[in-house]
Amino acid sequence: MSEKLQKVLARSGVGSRREMESWISAGRVTIDGKVAQLGDRVIPTQIVRVDGHPVKLAAEAEQICRVIAYHKPEGEICSRTDPEGRPTVFDRLPKIRGSRWVAIGRLDINTSGLLLFTTDGELANRLMHPKFEVEREYAVRVFGEVTDAMIQKLRTGVELEDGKAAFKKIKASGGEGINKWFNVTLTEGRNREVRRMWESQGAVVNRLIRVRYGDLLLPKHLPAGGYTEYALEEVNYLRKLVHMDYETESLAKPEDKDERRRRMASIKRAVRKHQIALKNPEKAPKAEKKPQADKPARPAKPAFKGKKRTRV
């Protein structure tokens, strides 16, 4: 049975459905050698290429949906590559064959916290779509005086350049001096929306952390720059949120406390090495040099077979 091209490409892990629609419109996709058009449908036996590269079309029954939580640090961008050479959120994700990680939403370069990735582009597309109203919660540190009237406006809605926006929930959570912390909840993910809402009231956000997506919290044990794969239960929770069929398999391995502790220690070491390499490329670990092809390696010295001298 044929399916819409953008849906099949998204399921195959090429990107989100929205991305695929823009790529098709830009003429980057071909079907059996012909440039594809929006609305085209495909069957598994057809040859689909993106930018000239063949794509293995994944049947819905064959694909195993995977989801990982990534603790994004400040300073990383949510793009696969960057012309300016800045680090991206994809740099440290685990490598996978026959698929790719698709980001579920974005966080700007100065925002940290929970960022989800999946191999199922259709799941990513639905979770990002406003109609499903999936909650995102942020911890926000605000610089400036915050009055009850400002908070009430943020609850009822403020006008932004791209339309009206309102926090579903807003709660004061401490702070000292002129810096105050708040926890705010949204059900959409417009560009820099949280910052722009506070700025509309004359306040400045100087720290922003996403702490929750749906009911999934930022894991406390996960260091900035680290990731962890969700088990089948969490994957199916996300699929249920957006009215998708349950997954029956998982590649996430169950682990006890000791195994998790060892894995987290390994992640922390890898994150530190990665950060050092970014700050000081010359200090990054270098690959071992192999003997040159035209110069044979020197033979090892024979072991000393005489008696050892002892100094008196």
Side-chain angles (χ1 to χ4, degrees):
M1 185 175 69
S2 66
E3 294 181 278
K4 286 186 177 179
L5 176 59
Q6 61 266 32
K7 181 178 180 180
V8 176
L9 288 173
R11 187 173 64 229
S12 302
V14 181
S16 69
R17 190 191 291 189
R18 193 176 303 172
E19 287 178 317
M20 295 304 97
E21 290 174 351
S22 66
W23 290 11
I24 294 168
S25 299
R28 297 174 59 183
V29 184
T30 62
I31 304 173
D32 294 336
K34 296 181 181 179
V35 177
Q37 304 292 328
L38 274 178
D40 284 352
R41 302 175 72 88
V42 292
I43 58 176
T45 56
Q46 290 182 288
I47 298 174
V48 176
R49 296 177 183 268
V50 175
D51 294 334
H53 302 290
V55 176
K56 183 180 179 182
L57 302 182
E60 192 168 0
E62 295 175 355
Q63 185 195 46
I64 296 178
C65 176
R66 301 175 65 184
V67 182
I68 58 174
Y70 178 65
H71 187 167
K72 178 192 175 297
E74 293 180 9
E76 291 185 354
I77 63 170
C78 291
S79 299
R80 294 188 185 275
T81 57
D82 179 53
E84 299 178 28
R86 294 172 295 182
T88 83
V89 294
F90 292 92
D91 290 344
R92 289 198 29 77
L93 299 187
K95 306 300 180 185
I96 50 178
R97 291 183 178 180
S99 187
R100 70 190 319 199
W101 294 113
V102 179
I104 300 175
R106 303 167 71 91
L107 296 176
D108 67 49
I109 191 170
N110 295 318
T111 301
S112 61
L114 180 61
L115 184 60
L116 303 184
F117 293 85
T118 180
T119 54
D120 189 336
E122 178 64 18
L123 175 63
N125 183 70
R126 293 196 185 194
L127 285 169
M128 289 185 285
H129 202 288
K131 76 175 183 180
F132 290 104
E133 298 187 339
V134 180
E135 288 188 354
R136 292 93 154 160
E137 182 179 346
Y138 298 83
V140 189
R141 189 174 70 185
V142 179
F143 177 80
E145 184 181 0
V146 179
T147 65
D148 291 341
M150 291 165 57
I151 292 176
Q152 184 59 29
K153 284 184 180 178
L154 291 168
R155 282 196 179 113
T156 55
V158 295
E159 288 295 337
L160 302 177
E161 300 86 356
D162 50 358
K164 195 171 184 179
F167 290 132
K168 184 177 180 181
K169 300 174 187 175
I170 180 169
K171 179 182 177 182
S173 51
E176 296 180 357
I178 203 165
N179 285 303
K180 300 293 183 183
W181 282 95
F182 294 86
N183 276 56
V184 299
T185 303
L186 291 167
T187 55
E188 58 183 1
R190 283 188 264 170
N191 184 40
R192 300 185 72 254
E193 188 171 8
V194 175
R195 295 180 187 274
R196 289 189 293 135
M197 289 176 68
W198 283 102
E199 287 168 1
S200 73
Q201 302 304 301
V204 176
V205 172
N206 56 26
R207 191 81 188 277
L208 184 59
I209 309 167
R210 183 191 280 169
V211 296
R212 179 171 64 87
Y213 198 100
D215 286 345
L216 300 180
L217 298 173
L218 176 64
K220 292 182 179 180
H221 63 273
L222 195 61
Y227 61 84
T228 186
E229 183 161 357
Y230 284 122
L232 188 60
E233 182 180 357
E234 285 80 14
V235 171
N236 282 333
Y237 159 73
L238 291 173
R239 296 178 72 85
K240 182 180 178 181
L241 276 182
V242 292
H243 310 152
M244 293 181 71
D245 293 338
Y246 279 4
E247 181 60 83
T248 57
E249 297 180 65
S250 174
L251 297 181
K253 297 178 181 179
E255 57 186 12
D256 57 28
K257 290 183 179 179
D258 290 336
E259 289 172 329
R260 190 179 73 176
R261 191 179 298 113
R262 286 193 293 270
R263 183 169 61 83
M264 287 301 108
S266 176
I267 286 176
K268 288 178 181 178
R269 288 194 297 270
V271 169
R272 282 196 293 269
K273 288 181 180 178
H274 182 66
Q275 291 171 342
I276 291 171
L278 290 175
K279 293 178 181 178
N280 304 294
E282 68 278 1
K283 292 184 180 181
K286 296 180 180 179
E288 294 182 3
K289 292 184 178 180
K290 296 181 180 180
Q292 295 180 6
D294 57 341
K295 291 184 180 180
R298 291 183 179 180
K301 291 182 179 180
F304 180 71
K305 297 182 179 180
K307 294 182 180 180
K308 290 184 178 179
R309 285 184 174 180
T310 54
R311 291 185 179 180
V312 180

